[in-house]
Amino acid sequence: MDTDWTPIPANLTLDFTTAQRRHRFETATGLELPRLETDLHCLSTSDDWEEWFPALERVVLFGPEDLRLQDVVGPICLDLLDMYEDLLAPWSNAVRLRQDLPAFLTDLPRVANVLPLLDGRSVSEVLQAAPWAPMATCAMLTLLQRLGVLSLLPVYQPGDPLDRPAVLDTALVPRSEDPLYRTRTRMSEALRSFQALEQCLATGFTPWSGCKFVRVPAPPVPDPLQ
């Protein structure tokens, strides 16, 4: 037994729902996925970049919500970003789904949350809008690209920035922890609530004014001793 290997960080919680999704994925694809601790061990010890990509994708898709990428891929973060840049850049590329995803993918929360963003926005915009860490979003995009359900459309125009977007400076930090991201999200929610309220106030009650109201007896009060 390798005594230098700590399989799973101590702060992770056991999530049976994630295990069920993992089992459904294996059943639908016929693939037997490595254990989570195996992928974590690969990311922390392997020098083979061809092993990093699938291991990181599985960790992102099936890992618990409290998994911190800083603890997993911190030492190889810059190398991973260089390789993701080769696959996804230029960052002005538009991302769009070619077809509907199968249920075993849309059942995964991190995939389901990023799908509404794949509507022709640029890769840079998707990285900024997704709630996950930009590194995790890169892993999901390359996975969908490899499965053949995601297309990258070059829409580069003269003057578009070719450098890495600033959001990749904190590639391992969830966007939901960024103060500016949280502020924008709250402002968007408040605006939608205000618009819904205005729509309700503008709705007249004339169509219901002629409705007949019927009195019905109130249900009996339950006995608190029963």
Side-chain angles (χ1 to χ4, degrees), residues 25-194:
F25 183 93
E26 291 179 326
T27 302
T29 61
L31 301 174
E32 183 177 356
L33 302 177
R35 293 168 58 88
L36 174 61
E37 56 265 35
T38 302
D39 287 329
L40 294 175
H41 180 60
C42 171
L43 291 171
S44 61
T45 62
S46 176
D47 294 328
D48 188 354
W49 65 268
E50 293 184 351
E51 295 181 351
W52 291 347
F53 277 127
L56 179 58
E57 290 170 358
R58 290 189 294 264
V59 168
V60 168
L61 293 179
F62 302 107
E65 293 186 3
D66 57 348
L67 179 67
R68 306 290 298 180
L69 287 182
Q70 293 97 323
D71 302 330
V72 179
V73 297
I76 60 174
C77 177
L78 295 180
D79 294 328
L80 284 171
L81 287 179
D82 288 339
M83 289 182 284
Y84 280 129
E85 187 166 11
D86 293 337
L87 296 173
L88 299 174
W91 304 103
S92 59
N93 280 341
V95 291
R96 189 179 297 276
L97 288 175
R98 293 178 178 175
Q99 62 192 50
D100 293 335
L101 296 187
F104 65 84
L105 281 177
T106 56
D107 186 43
L108 302 173
R110 289 188 173 92
V111 174
N113 277 273
V114 82
L115 289 183
L117 305 176
L118 309 182
D119 55 0
R121 308 183 198 199
S122 67
V123 178
S124 177
E125 291 172 332
V126 173
L127 295 179
Q128 295 179 34
W132 318 113
M135 179 74 74
T137 305
C138 286
M140 285 184 283
L141 292 178
T142 54
L143 169 65
L144 297 178
Q145 184 184 24
R146 190 174 69 253
L147 293 177
V149 298
L150 182 74
S151 61
L152 294 177
L153 307 176
V155 292
Y156 172 75
Q157 299 293 334
D160 287 349
L162 296 178
D163 297 334
R164 290 178 182 175
V167 69
L168 289 179
D169 293 339
T170 54
L172 303 181
V173 180
R175 297 290 295 139
S176 56
E177 296 182 6
D178 180 79
L180 181 58
Y181 180 92
R182 291 202 305 267
T183 300
R184 288 176 176 173
T185 302
R186 291 170 182 170
M187 290 179 63
S188 298
E189 293 174 351
L191 178 59
R192 286 193 293 268
S193 300
F194 175 76

Side-chain angles (χ1 to χ4, degrees), residues 208-226:
W208 302 332
S209 60
C211 294
K212 182 179 180 181
F213 290 90
V214 180
R215 290 181 176 272
V216 296
V221 178
D223 186 354
L225 299 180
Q226 296 297 323

